Amino acid sequence: MSVGNNSTDPSNGAYLLKAKDFATDQDVRWCPGCGDYSILKQVQTVLADLEKQPHETVFISGIGCSSRFPYYMETYGMHSIHGRAPGFASGLRIAQPNLQVWLITGDGDGLSIGGNHLLHLFRRNFNLNVILFNNQIYGLTKGQYSPTSEENKKTVSTPYGSIDHPVNPIALALGADATFVARSMDRDPKHLKEMLVRADSHHGTSFLEVYQNCNIFNDGAFEAFTEKDTKPENCLFLENGQPLVFGARRDKGIRLDGFQPVVVHMSDGAATTDDLWIHDESDLIKAQILSRFFDLPASEGGAGLPRPFGVFYRTERSCYEDMLSEQLRDASEQGGDGDLDALLAGSNTWEIH
Amino acid sequence: MSVGNNSTDPSNGAYLLKAKDFATDQDVRWCPGCGDYSILKQVQTVLADLEKQPHETVFISGIGCSSRFPYYMETYGMHSIHGRAPGFASGLRIAQPNLQVWLITGDGDGLSIGGNHLLHLFRRNFNLNVILFNNQIYGLTKGQYSPTSEENKKTVSTPYGSIDHPVNPIALALGADATFVARSMDRDPKHLKEMLVRADSHHGTSFLEVYQNCNIFNDGAFEAFTEKDTKPENCLFLENGQPLVFGARRDKGIRLDGFQPVVVHMSDGAATTDDLWIHDESDLIKAQILSRFFDLPASEGGAGLPRPFGVFYRTERSCYEDMLSEQLRDASEQGGDGDLDALLAGSNTWEIH
Amino acid sequence: MDVNTITSEKEEVVIKFAGDSGDGMQLTGGLFTDDTAISGSDLATFPDFPAEIRAPVGTMAGVSGFQLHFGSRRIFTPGDRCDVLVAMNAAALKVNLGQLQPGATIIANEDGFDAKNLRLAKYADGENPLDNRSLDAYQVIRLPVTKLTREALADLPLGTKEKDRCKNMFVLGLLLWRYNRRLDTTQRFLEVKFRKKPDLLSANQRVLQAGYHLGDTMEEFTTRYTVRPAALAKGTYRNIMGNDGIVLGLLTAARKAGLPLFYGSYPITPASSILHGLAKHKHFGVKTFQAEDEIAAICAAIGASYGGNIGVTGTSGPGVALKGEAMGLAVMLELPLVICNIQRGGPSTGLPTKTEQSDLMQALYGRNGECPMPVVAAASPSDCFETAFEAVRIAIRHMTPVMLLSDGYIANGAEPWRFPRSADIPAIEVSFARPTADGTPFQPYARDERRVRPWAIPGTPGLMHRVGGLEKEDVTGNISYDPANHEHMVRTRAAKVDCIADHIPEQAIQAGYEQGDLLILGWGSTYGVCQSVTLELAAQGYRVGHAHLRYLNPFPRNLEQLIRQFRSVLVPEINNGQLVSVLRDKFLLPVRQYNKIQGTPITVEELRACALDILGEQ
Amino acid sequence: MDVNTITSEKEEVVIKFAGDSGDGMQLTGGLFTDDTAISGSDLATFPDFPAEIRAPVGTMAGVSGFQLHFGSRRIFTPGDRCDVLVAMNAAALKVNLGQLQPGATIIANEDGFDAKNLRLAKYADGENPLDNRSLDAYQVIRLPVTKLTREALADLPLGTKEKDRCKNMFVLGLLLWRYNRRLDTTQRFLEVKFRKKPDLLSANQRVLQAGYHLGDTMEEFTTRYTVRPAALAKGTYRNIMGNDGIVLGLLTAARKAGLPLFYGSYPITPASSILHGLAKHKHFGVKTFQAEDEIAAICAAIGASYGGNIGVTGTSGPGVALKGEAMGLAVMLELPLVICNIQRGGPSTGLPTKTEQSDLMQALYGRNGECPMPVVAAASPSDCFETAFEAVRIAIRHMTPVMLLSDGYIANGAEPWRFPRSADIPAIEVSFARPTADGTPFQPYARDERRVRPWAIPGTPGLMHRVGGLEKEDVTGNISYDPANHEHMVRTRAAKVDCIADHIPEQAIQAGYEQGDLLILGWGSTYGVCQSVTLELAAQGYRVGHAHLRYLNPFPRNLEQLIRQFRSVLVPEINNGQLVSVLRDKFLLPVRQYNKIQGTPITVEELRACALDILGEQ
Ligand SMILES: Cc1ncc(C[n+]2csc(CCOP(=O)(O)OP(=O)(O)O)c2C)c(N)n1
Ligand SMILES: Cc1ncc(C[n+]2csc(CCOP(=O)(O)OP(=O)(O)O)c2C)c(N)n1
Ligand code: SF4
Ligand code: SF4
Ligand SMILES: [Mg+2]
Ligand SMILES: [Mg+2]
């Protein structure tokens, strides 16, 4: 861990880690311009800001460009096998409940081959943070469509266009009873950092989908949300307790007609912020409605509902490893610390003289 | 196919198949009293009622007690491997789009090892019917808890009680964009048959969860919903376009306060059916709310919302195999039927003389 | 004891208790076994359950059996053929008739041979084997057990159903009388079992006594038999089943290594009972994790080992097929891991409730790339304890995944076990990597003389490093595409496994001659039959020896030399010759083979005949 | 052509085109190869791509290369060492210097050796290999290619970036001149390629000519070289890469069987291009299905075969590890299926972009239970066509899953192929089961003389039946726990695969002597090097022969006898000796082995040396 020009904690004079202290000496092998760089930088920054200890932090990934991530973090790390990171992370959480575990996955790694493990991770609610790099493509294998690719996508494996209906990761996570569900994007460092902090602070499995640009095989997939001219019209940034407002002049909002969300314009006095839907992170039903703001951005001919970013839903539920530790504690309080000789003897023995 | 005492179609004098014509000569190996028997009987009856042809019908299952099903159906059948039935069914649908495919799975087969395949089946929307036998236990392996088992369940594998938060199959299917989502129970043959007919009539993947009693390892898991004294209070039978009414005297209903469903009593005049929520199968958001009527029945100390049975949600979306056939048709219309010699030669050849 | 019964002695007896799943034959057999053990006999038992969870009452599919073989000599198998068959109904008789000794005794419950039972057992209309002289070759004792049971309980306030459930005690009592036992032990067990149900207790005790006294009173019973105690090593014994042996072996090894045990598994026959057994022992700090599938189970176990626990996963053949990719990763990560494969009949789903040894090649080769892994195999229920301990020891000391092979026959079989005292069990040394004093960078793939890399647990300051499935540079562990490094690593991983041979015992001859005409070389659950046949033939003067392989990869260093002490080698396997292939490959040695692929153990008769053929040719 | 250049003849030449990923070296090499092919030379090519998708410009990790070996004699490999290296930048030179012949020609683009490029190539400060005499052993031609290109395009309305993208044409032109070619073929290709971009077309043509003319004008170039046409069989040729060979083989076999082709796959290097290739050919009725994982992919393929298509799945080692359980089911179902394994460096994720032959044991044994499966292996890019055809034929005619092995070296390598005329390709006979005339019940596991069961497609009236992974009774296919039946079925499944040996060609000697001192016995991608070495040594009078195995299970009937015609057998493999193990097991035969496990092919030098050692000992 290279120690840069020291800055110290005024309170105790202890050395304070900086973002670059979380960087390894390995050359980063992503393509120039890849959205992964930004995510890496924000993660390193956030870990430093949160004064995390590198040796108490573990990054576990599957396989994919995104899953190269652990090699670039000066923490403990495992670049495992395709789609299975949740398994390794679950075992590690059980073995070492004091470590901080980050799980890095992609739209293929986490939603194609690894979908089932992710769902079971959500329901067990292990206390760790999942960052899903969604670039709507298989990057590492050079450009096949992925479960999140839009319909009729032409790729090397679908020259006639893909015919699978895409996964809605947020809706899926909610359906699987995830306790923390959020979305951010590579191109908005401030928001991304904020979401990383939120994810870290949640006790339970935090699921953070990050829109990430693959500038080689799927360049501009998220332009409508990331480019400053279209972003304000297409992105709805969720803030707990705040009305759902968006638009360059923050003059548009979301109101609910019964259950149907509609866009209302406040400029033309058609509505005021008081009429608007107030975001409530703890409301699963509303979160499920928000997760369905999923059609094409208006600029690309969609129904015109903006794409939400931020924390859709958050709830408290006991974590698997906490309950397990409790069972172990109770068991040894009752059963004692386990008398090996008694165990070996079992309930019924006899002597041969 | 044993042909019983003939009954014939008055119109054309053709022999009409009866339920027992869909039964094989194999002894059924389920435990006496198992809920599977009822489901088998209803399926055989429905196939006969719908005048299905045995040779055009295929049952594909994974592994589990429930997955023994195909052996008892005088149709084509494959008892495949654990959790993978969706793969085989997908391939078969693509190869033979004219066959009628039924996929039989269990809560372990379909939601534990096979969860991911089921989700991808849903989004691809192959035209087939999935019947998930949910007995909230692993039957064939003799009684371990399953992904649908209630929390703190004591089983051979969890003597201290299970600590996994259970899967909500309906919510999960909705989160995965299934196009037909319904629930029924082994003990209500009439309703079960109705749901089987509905599932069959849907063009796309029909997901039907059936509560099934495992009287050996999880007896009475669904008593509250199946026994006549508690059933009316705990079950809400959904009918499209009808108000949500339940109760022995059909005097209770569901109203929505904002998004919060509440039980209202019509006897005490507190409400009339006009105030009630009208079921709309095509409304995904409402279906999602209904899927959350999932806590313990009131009789077992739950919040008091009844458990819904019937079709939660239904929508039309193109099926994978139809779109694929179309692509193939277009391709040969453009590319011609494929000139093998041209293919072998490729774009660039030369002569050696 | 009344005068006109005489007592005769027997060296060994095989009894089969058979009845409907509901007749409680497993309990009956178990109780008689306990009493037998205490009487000092050596013994072996094997249950056979119906393939279905609950097959219809009275059908052959529903017959449940329990076989006990005991004697005053060493007993290694549950026995080929039965001297006594208890048949609680017609189906039980039909299913087991083929397994009887000529002249065997059949104790039949008449009440289980009524029209209905006969029909369910698929006897021809009007045919009752008890009447139609078809059993003349046997000594048939027919008793209206149900009737007698009800009579014995006539005055008790129990329903007929409950009363009938006691009828197995009647048979038990009768057999205890027949083998000259006393009732007290069994009484005590019943007291424990029915502590909370006093009326059931007295009912069962009454019926037990009724059966016992019938022996004294009934003319038919002229003889009682005694079996002298066997020459067993002095000490304290218990009964043990194979999967329980694994449970205890894993718990003991973890304790002796001072590491928490993590067991990740997905239920599958016949491995599930390991999960069940371990889950009961949370007060030993064992963490059991029922995963969503076999892949998640092994990955979680690897994750736990990465975190400094000893990670173990268990399954059967089809599950192992799913774990191949993750095992490959474990080989690359060079972390401790134990994979238990309780083999069953294959291929595919195969015969889940039957036994087989057909996953050896899969254990050795069922992964992509050059992916060497140590493989050990248990030979018997009690040997499961030591083998599981060894698997953990090797995994930890050599930082490698280890495959432990057992099978359905061992898993469900039981035998007496002179269990060790914990104090006598050696510790397993574990050394986690510590931060380098001089702050020099940590090298996760630096190796010791055994080619073993350090185990550096996340949470340790200063040892941050990255591991993964891509080829890595030796010493530093950085990703490396360097051609020479790849070859070096492939050969290093192989050498690391080979070098385990320097840290395991040499192969010994376990019975018979150290050299001579025929070596019976086995592995796994054929141990008992190999021992029996070898001792028998050696006693008859044949120069036969038996060696049984616990270590299948690497082999003990002296194996080839040991084999070459014999003119012929016979390898009996419950597969199509898998160890044979490995031996031919390793030693270019023509070996004879006996293969039985019927989901059932090789019998003494079968192996003896084969061995004698070979000896005859010489 | 100007007077002061002379023309000399060469028997063979190896050229390496190397530059940054962006420099278009693959295209340059491809175009030069096309022209070379038309000139009548025999040839072989191999690309080497950077391991990363887009490594940083100018770095060694970013170097992309294309190697061409052509000559007037038969050419079997891309060549060990290069006679000519085109180095578009410093990194390209550094990466490839090790591969050069002594005295080789280096054509270096000066503009790629500026300070920045030198630094990125990790040359010491101030060191430029073009200046510091470190290349004195070679003949260095340094040209400011970028500058010259820009000059050639000075007056064109293109951005510098676009102009610079033409610089590979300059080199191409120069090399066409050097090897005495004309420009017309290449011109034609450019016309096609840039049909829609006239300005880019003229730009590229201009630069091409500029490079060509430089040859005439520049003093340095005193010699042009000609390579006579090789003695190739007359006919029409095309170039083919390995995975395209599989694509064509599968499509042709399906067409010749009159069955729709279903390909279920999950992307993985280096197998993905089979999926890409097949997806392009929907007008051949091929149905491609990109599944959610490898397990779903093979299950879907089995489902398609169950439905009467020919189901195929393709992957690489780690994916095969996941398919083991489903392959076992396919063996039980006895349905046609082809599993393509394009092997890569292992174990685990290993070296995804490198080649290896280390999945042979996995192919043979990587499943639970006794689970025999035929295995065939392709020897070269063009052989992929025939081997894929054979795999489909065996799968259909013998109703069995078949494993087809290729590897990254074959997949990405290319060679000229005298492709067949469809009319000359035999049909594959398929007979679906038809309803029994007499209405007798259908027997799904009745077998013909090859032990093959009927293929009864759902939708056929009267043939309703159930299949599955549990052991089944022969003939009826009903579930059966009968011990004897299980053994019968295990042996039947094995015999069924063995009997395929009666329906494949006997093994032939493919080069050199039919008997003698040394047999070089290979399989898979070592074909070229085995041929080269054998022909060379045989020409020198050594009694060496070469046999290359396409059929790895079962072996051709005559294999052992053929092997025993030689004093020694040498098995070269890009693994740790897997075929060697199989041969030792099958034939108890000591074989010599040459193993290279570096992710790269065995070179002629290496194999020659090893062969000579063995011959020397004799
Ligand atoms: C078992 C297995 N199957 C397939 C692959 C090949 N593979 C590697 S990454 C990948 C998908 C990557 O997509 P994604 O998860 O979206 O990551 P990205 O590269 O887009 O960041 C695939 C199919 C593999 N390495 N292992
Ligand atoms: C690969 C694999 N893993 C595990 C098993 C063992 N197994 C068979 S069925 C089953 C679960 C059955 O539960 P469920 O799907 O709910 O079916 P049920 O028996 O309850 O009807 C398991 C774990 C198997 N056969 N194959
Ligand atoms: S391929 Fe795409 S995702 Fe992968 S590193 Fe390059 S730009 Fe990033
Ligand atoms: S175990 Fe349960 S689910 Fe299985 S057959 Fe018996 S009762 Fe039915
Ligand atoms: Mg991706
Ligand atoms: Mg179940």
Side-chain angles (χ1 to χ4, degrees), chain D residues 483-495:
Chain D
N485 174 75
H486 178 52
E487 177 147 350
H488 167 71
M489 290 299 272
V490 167
R491 296 191 185 283
T492 300
R493 285 184 289 260

Side-chain angles (χ1 to χ4, degrees), chain B residues 29 82 112-113 144-145 157, chain C residues 53-54 61 266 276 290 292:
Chain B
R29 295 288 195 201
H82 197 33
S112 192
I113 191 169
Q144 301 84 4
Y145 79 114
S157 62
Chain C
I53 311 282
R54 292 278 188 286
Y266 185 66
H276 307 163
Q290 181 177 312
E292 60 270 28

Side-chain angles (χ1 to χ4, degrees), chain A residues 30-31 34 36 65 135 139 212 214-217, chain D residues 53:
Chain A
W30 290 314
C31 307
C34 174
D36 292 355
C65 294
N135 55 10
Q212 170 246 327
C214 168
N215 56 304
I216 300 300
F217 296 115
Chain D
I53 311 279

Side-chain angles (χ1 to χ4, degrees), chain A residues 110-117 119-120 123-124 145-148 151-152 160-168 171-172 174-177 256 258-261 283-286 288-289 291-292 317 320-321 323-324 327 330-331 334, chain B residues 110-117 119-120 123-124 145-148 151-152 160-168 171-172 174-177 256 258-261 283-286 288-289 291-292 317 320-321 323-324 327 330-331 334:
Chain A
L111 297 173
S112 192
I113 192 170
N116 198 41
H117 305 303
L119 299 179
H120 286 276
R123 73 187 185 93
R124 294 184 183 125
Y145 79 114
S146 90
T148 55
E151 267 164 59
N152 195 26
Y160 293 81
S162 63
I163 55 182
D164 310 42
H165 175 77
V167 171
N168 177 333
L172 189 63
L174 292 170
D177 290 3
L256 279 161
F259 292 113
Q260 290 319 322
D283 186 328
L284 176 57
I285 289 164
K286 285 220 187 96
Q288 287 175 324
I289 300 176
S291 74
R292 297 300 175 174
R317 197 172 72 225
Y320 188 100
E321 65 273 47
M323 290 187 278
L324 181 57
Q327 283 190 336
D330 298 353
Q334 290 144 32
Chain B
L111 297 173
S112 192
I113 191 169
N116 199 41
H117 304 303
L119 300 178
H120 287 275
R123 73 187 185 92
R124 293 184 184 124
Y145 79 114
S146 89
T148 54
E151 266 163 58
N152 196 24
Y160 293 80
S162 62
I163 54 181
D164 311 42
H165 175 76
V167 170
N168 177 332
L172 189 63
L174 292 171
D177 291 2
L256 279 161
F259 293 110
Q260 290 319 320
D283 186 328
L284 175 57
I285 289 164
K286 285 215 186 106
Q288 288 175 325
I289 300 176
S291 74
R292 297 299 175 174
R317 196 172 71 226
Y320 187 101
E321 65 272 47
M323 290 186 277
L324 181 57
Q327 284 191 336
D330 298 352
Q334 289 144 31

Side-chain angles (χ1 to χ4, degrees), chain D residues 304-605:
Chain D
S305 287
Y306 179 60
N309 289 5
I310 172 63
V312 180
T313 187
T315 184
S316 189
V320 175
L322 288 168
K323 294 176 192 280
E325 188 199 9
M327 285 188 241
L329 178 67
V331 166
M332 280 298 227
L333 299 186
E334 302 189 39
L335 285 171
L337 176 73
V338 174
I339 304 105
C340 308
N341 177 359
I342 315 304
Q343 301 166 96
R344 63 188 216 182
S348 192
T349 312
L351 293 167
T353 57
K354 302 292 177 189
T355 197
E356 205 160 272
Q357 299 184 290
S358 52
D359 296 347
L360 175 58
M361 288 310 227
Q362 179 191 36
L364 292 169
Y365 301 119
R367 297 164 293 280
N368 60 297
E370 294 292 346
C371 197
M373 229 170 68
V375 179
V376 295
S380 74
S382 62
D383 188 57
C384 283
F385 174 83
E386 283 182 41
T387 309
F389 187 94
E390 267 299 88
V392 173
R393 182 187 69 81
I394 293 170
I396 292 175
R397 299 292 294 127
H398 298 270
M399 289 290 281
T400 177
V402 176
M403 174 80 72
L404 162 59
L405 296 176
S406 176
D407 64 31
Y409 179 61
I410 296 174
N412 296 317
E415 66 184 0
W417 176 40
R418 194 156 128 273
F419 55 94
R421 285 174 41 256
S422 66
D424 303 338
I425 301 168
I428 296 172
E429 182 192 322
V430 178
S431 52
F432 292 132
R434 296 264 135 266
T436 51
D438 55 0
T440 51
F442 173 60
Q443 305 290 25
Y445 278 76
R447 300 175 184 280
D448 68 11
E449 70 291 347
R450 307 172 169 204
R451 299 190 179 68
V452 171
R453 78 178 194 93
W455 193 0
I457 308 307
T460 319
L463 301 190
M464 289 80 69
H465 66 285
R466 275 61 54 191
V467 295
L470 287 165
E471 184 60 280
K472 42 188 66 53
E473 186 177 57
D474 208 4
V475 183
T476 67
N478 293 333
I479 299 178
S480 165
Y481 295 97
D482 173 56
N485 174 75
H486 178 52
E487 177 147 350
H488 167 71
M489 290 299 272
V490 167
R491 296 191 185 283
T492 300
R493 285 184 289 260
K496 176 179 135 180
V497 170
D498 291 341
C499 120
I500 292 170
D502 300 331
H503 304 273
I504 57 175
E506 291 208 325
Q507 183 63 46
I509 294 290
Q510 283 139 302
Y513 291 84
E514 298 283 330
Q515 60 194 59
D517 299 326
L518 178 65
L519 173 67
I520 298 182
L521 180 59
W523 69 281
S525 64
T526 57
Y527 175 78
V529 66
C530 295
Q531 281 280 301
S532 304
V533 170
T534 305
L535 289 171
E536 187 183 319
L537 294 179
Q540 294 166 26
Y542 292 101
R543 297 182 54 78
V544 176
H546 170 216
H548 214 73
L549 288 168
R550 168 182 288 165
Y551 303 93
L552 291 159
N553 188 39
F555 281 141
R557 288 260 182 258
N558 66 324
L559 181 59
E560 179 169 11
Q561 164 209 347
L562 173 143
I563 291 175
R564 297 198 184 276
Q565 303 308 310
F566 293 83
R567 283 173 68 192
S568 309
V569 183
L570 170 61
V571 178
E573 294 181 272
I574 308 176
N575 63 33
N576 211 356
Q578 299 193 6
L579 177 60
V580 169
S581 286
V582 180
L583 292 168
R584 288 169 60 93
D585 167 20
K586 289 273 183 310
F587 305 131
L588 292 180
L589 195 77
V591 298
R592 308 294 297 266
Q593 58 195 93
Y594 182 79
N595 303 103
K596 181 179 182 181
I597 321 167
Q598 307 192 357
T600 56
I602 295 170
T603 64
V604 170
E605 261 170 59

